Structure formats: C-alpha cells, structure tokens
Amino acid sequence: MTGASGRPVAATADDVSGAPDIEFSGVSKRFGEVRAVDGLELSVPRGSFFTFLGPSGCGKTTSLRLIAGFEQPSAGDVRIGGRSMVGVPPYRRPVNMVFQHYALFPHLDVAANIAYGLRQRAPRPDAAEIGRRVAAMLELVRLPGYGGRRVWELSGGQQQRVALARALVNRPTVLLLDEPLAALDRKLRRDMQIELQNLQHEVGVTFVLVTHDQEEALSMSDAICIMRHGRIVQQGAPSTLYDSPASAWVAVFVGKSNFLPGRVRAAGAGWAAIEAGGRTRRGRAVVALHPEAPVVLAIRPELIRLGPPMGEEPHGRVLNRIFLGEHTEYLVRTERLGDLLALVPRAAEGEQSWHPGDEVALVWPEGAPLALPDDREAQ
C-alpha cells in the first residue's frame, strides 16, 4: 500500500478481511545447516492473545521475526489477514513490535516517542490529529499528563507503557511482544501482566507474545504454542496444556509435576495402567500409549495432600518445608516413589502442619495421575 506521495504506508486493522490474523503454512527457516523453524502449521484467530512459549533456541523468536518481516521463510507461507507476507518488508506489514528493552528514543519526550510512527506515515496526519492520537494513547496506558516527560524520568513499567502506546498508535492488525516483561522486577512484572491483558481486551488487537516464562504465558494467553527444536509440540488453551499435557516434557515446561517412572501394562481409550513404584496405578492418558513403552505417571503437586501415615497410602518423611505465604511447599522422601513435592494451600493446613522428619502419608484423587510418554531427555 502506498500513500499519495508514493511512500509505503503500513496497513491498519481496518484493511483486513475475515481471515485469521496470522497463518503459518509449512513454514521453515534455515540458517545455514541449522533449521531454526521446521514446518510450522498454525493459525492465530483475530483479536486473540497468542503466545509462543519454549526454552532458548526453540524457534519462538524466529517465528516472531517471520511475522514481523525481519526474517523471510526458507519454505512455506506466512499470511497476515489472509494476505501472503513472503517478500514483504517490515514497514509494509500491518504489525508493530514492542522489544524487550523498549528501544525508546532518549532525545525525545514521551509524546514525541509515541508520535514517531505517525510522523513517518505518508500522508502524515496533521498536528492536531497527531496530538489527539497521542493523548488518547496516554489515556489508554494510564499515563495522562506524561507527554512532556523524558523517558529517563520514567520507571521501568512506565517506559513499557510508552513503548506499548508507540506501537498501538498506528493501529496495527497485530502487536508483537518480544519478552516485554523480562527487564521488570517480579512484582511489577505481575502487575504488567494484568495491564497487558486488560489492554488487549480493550483495544481488540491481536497480541503475539514470545516468552520462556510459563507464568506469563499461562496468565495472559488465550492460546499457547509450545515449541521445541523448531517444532510445535503442543498448542491450545492454557488450561488444556496444564491439565492435559501431551508428554512429560510439556508437563515439565508448563508448571511443576512429580514423575513416577513406569511401564504400560494395559491401556484403553483415555486411560492406562502403569506399573510404578512396585504396584500398578491407573492414570489418565492424553495420547495413545503402547504396552511396555517407557512412560511416567505425572502428578501435579497441588493435587497431593498430606496426612498421618495410614493403610496402603504412599508414605515418607518430610525433607523440607518452605512457607510461601499462600501455600506451603513440602518435599517428602518415599521409599518406592522417590522424592515427591506437595503444595498445600494455607487454608487447607488448618491447625495441622508438618515439619522435617515427620512421617506422612501422601494422598491424591483418583483422576490426578497422568500417564505420559517420557520424552524429557529426547533431543
């Protein structure tokens, strides 16, 4: 798209059709012999908060750069709003990006930073329109009256809001967020997670986040794509990935789990009987498991309760007790199942708490164990 002067103009959210905002079809990206992204197939619905989650080197940042136009695919097609972006440079794409370190201009005040993108457009909006748009953005990110301040006078959270306002002022179809909270302290990061989620709901723009922080992904996203070695290993709603991980590696990466190594003795639709710790235990199976295949039973620590030793329940001795305010974390050593972690809500402890050296029984609901392929060490 070009303006009256012939200079390129980024498309806006008003220009797109009813197609998903972002689609990857067989997308691969190679850097020499390294395949950073390998055959990605995904669709990002319009107006959603979508997250690429994974460890360093998994391909998530390369995927974001393919959307932004900083990289071109070696194979496959990237579409935004139903239009192929292959060969389209970044400034011709209906996207804006917020970087990890914000990249604000220190020689400009807050208002000028936010207005920068508007002043580069052709035709350029008049001064009054730019002023109105900047003021609206300052209201949106809860910084009214800050337009005349210099960026070094702002806190980290305020600088991030300015970066968001600068990215949103051009009304992009998609806002890309590259680890935007990494530089903030823990409390401010939690506050900004809520701010980002509320902002996304208010403006209705598709947000695409890259992070290695599972808490960020789970707390903000409508959908998460978990990547490993350049491929998608599982994608879905945060609750689905947490409650029904497709493998032990996903369970490790999304939340905490206890793992009981074992072997499949019988399996059916949605269940498997696993020999683990000297007895056969039934677990919910998310994917098909083959008899005698190495697997694990995964049990989330918040599903385990502690009580006095009794009957045939697994029991052991408390090694560590860590008080964390809203819950207490217990590490219990058992003879047959190894060390197990239990997270006990403060309200559930009541008058009964346990201390290192205490012998306890570990109890979990029948549906708590998940029977999963053990791919934690797979390369």
Side-chain angles (χ1 to χ4, degrees), residues 125-195:
D126 60 37
E129 174 64 13
I130 290 176
R132 284 192 295 270
R133 298 267 290 270
V134 169
M137 283 296 107
L138 287 170
E139 288 286 346
L140 183 67
V141 298
R142 298 194 299 114
L143 290 174
Y146 279 68
R149 296 199 185 187
R150 297 289 180 173
V151 295
W152 66 77
E153 297 177 315
L154 305 180
S155 68
Q158 290 169 336
Q159 289 181 20
Q160 196 223 39
R161 293 182 197 177
V162 173
L164 285 167
R166 184 179 63 180
L168 289 169
V169 75
N170 276 331
R171 300 171 182 166
T173 299
V174 177
L175 182 65
L176 307 177
L177 302 159
D178 184 12
E179 306 258 14
L181 308 183
L184 305 180
D185 62 58
R186 180 176 176 81
K187 184 181 185 306
L188 185 54
R189 191 161 62 245
R190 292 290 297 272
D191 291 342
M192 289 308 302
Q193 288 170 16
I194 297 172
E195 294 281 353

Side-chain angles (χ1 to χ4, degrees), residues 246-279:
S247 70
W249 187 85
V250 174
V252 167
F253 205 78
V254 182
K256 297 179 179 179
S257 285
N258 296 289
F259 296 102
L260 314 182
R263 290 194 173 273
V264 179
R265 294 308 182 203
W271 67 273
I274 309 298
E275 183 181 326
R279 58 177 289 190

Side-chain angles (χ1 to χ4, degrees), residues 266 270-274 281-286 289 297-298 366-371:
W271 67 273
I274 309 298
R281 306 170 191 271
R282 188 181 177 95
R284 181 165 55 91
V286 178
L289 300 172
L297 280 175
E366 182 177 345
L370 281 170

Side-chain angles (χ1 to χ4, degrees), residues 29-254:
K29 177 62 182 179
R30 293 185 300 273
F31 297 98
E33 298 299 315
V34 177
R35 183 165 292 195
V37 169
D38 189 4
L40 258 59
E41 298 277 349
L42 64 87
S43 177
V44 180
R46 173 173 297 185
S48 62
F49 200 128
F50 186 89
T51 298
F52 288 105
L53 175 66
S56 298
C58 71
K60 60 186 185 297
T61 298
T62 300
S63 300
L64 195 77
R65 291 174 64 83
L66 287 165
I67 299 171
F70 301 139
E71 304 290 350
Q72 292 291 331
S74 304
D77 191 18
V78 176
R79 294 185 293 277
I80 300 178
R83 299 193 296 270
S84 176
M85 292 290 113
V86 175
V88 178
Y91 59 82
R92 296 285 303 276
R93 299 189 180 205
V95 304
N96 266 337
M97 191 163 182
V98 176
F99 296 92
Q100 180 174 338
H101 297 293
Y102 314 145
L104 298 175
F105 301 116
H107 62 289
L108 300 178
D109 63 20
V110 167
N113 265 281
I114 296 173
Y116 182 82
L118 292 174
R119 297 184 186 280
Q120 308 311 306
R121 301 186 69 171
R124 179 192 297 180
D126 60 37
E129 174 64 13
I130 290 176
R132 284 192 295 270
R133 298 267 290 270
V134 169
M137 283 296 107
L138 287 170
E139 288 286 346
L140 183 67
V141 298
R142 298 194 299 114
L143 290 174
Y146 279 68
R149 296 199 185 187
R150 297 289 180 173
V151 295
W152 66 77
E153 297 177 315
L154 305 180
S155 68
Q158 290 169 336
Q159 289 181 20
Q160 196 223 39
R161 293 182 197 177
V162 173
L164 285 167
R166 184 179 63 180
L168 289 169
V169 75
N170 276 331
R171 300 171 182 166
T173 299
V174 177
L175 182 65
L176 307 177
L177 302 159
D178 184 12
E179 306 258 14
L181 308 183
L184 305 180
D185 62 58
R186 180 176 176 81
K187 184 181 185 306
L188 185 54
R189 191 161 62 245
R190 292 290 297 272
D191 291 342
M192 289 308 302
Q193 288 170 16
I194 297 172
E195 294 281 353
L196 275 175
Q197 191 176 46
N198 291 341
L199 182 63
Q200 194 271 333
H201 289 161
E202 185 169 349
V203 299
V205 171
T206 299
F207 279 23
V208 179
L209 170 71
V210 159
T211 184
H212 64 274
D213 187 316
Q214 57 176 267
E215 181 183 308
E216 283 184 17
L218 292 172
S219 66
M220 294 190 291
S221 309
D222 299 314
I224 300 173
C225 170
I226 300 179
M227 297 188 66
R228 187 184 192 190
H229 305 315
R231 298 180 179 180
I232 298 172
V233 293
Q234 192 174 358
Q235 57 182 317
S239 59
T240 299
L241 298 180
Y242 189 85
D243 294 333
S244 301
S247 70
W249 187 85
V250 174
V252 167
F253 205 78
V254 182

Side-chain angles (χ1 to χ4, degrees), residues 321-330 342-346 349:
R321 178 184 186 272
I322 302 175
F323 177 70
L324 296 173
E326 70 274 14
H327 66 263
T328 302
E329 191 172 277
Y330 291 94
L343 301 182
V344 181
R346 188 172 187 180
E349 280 195 307

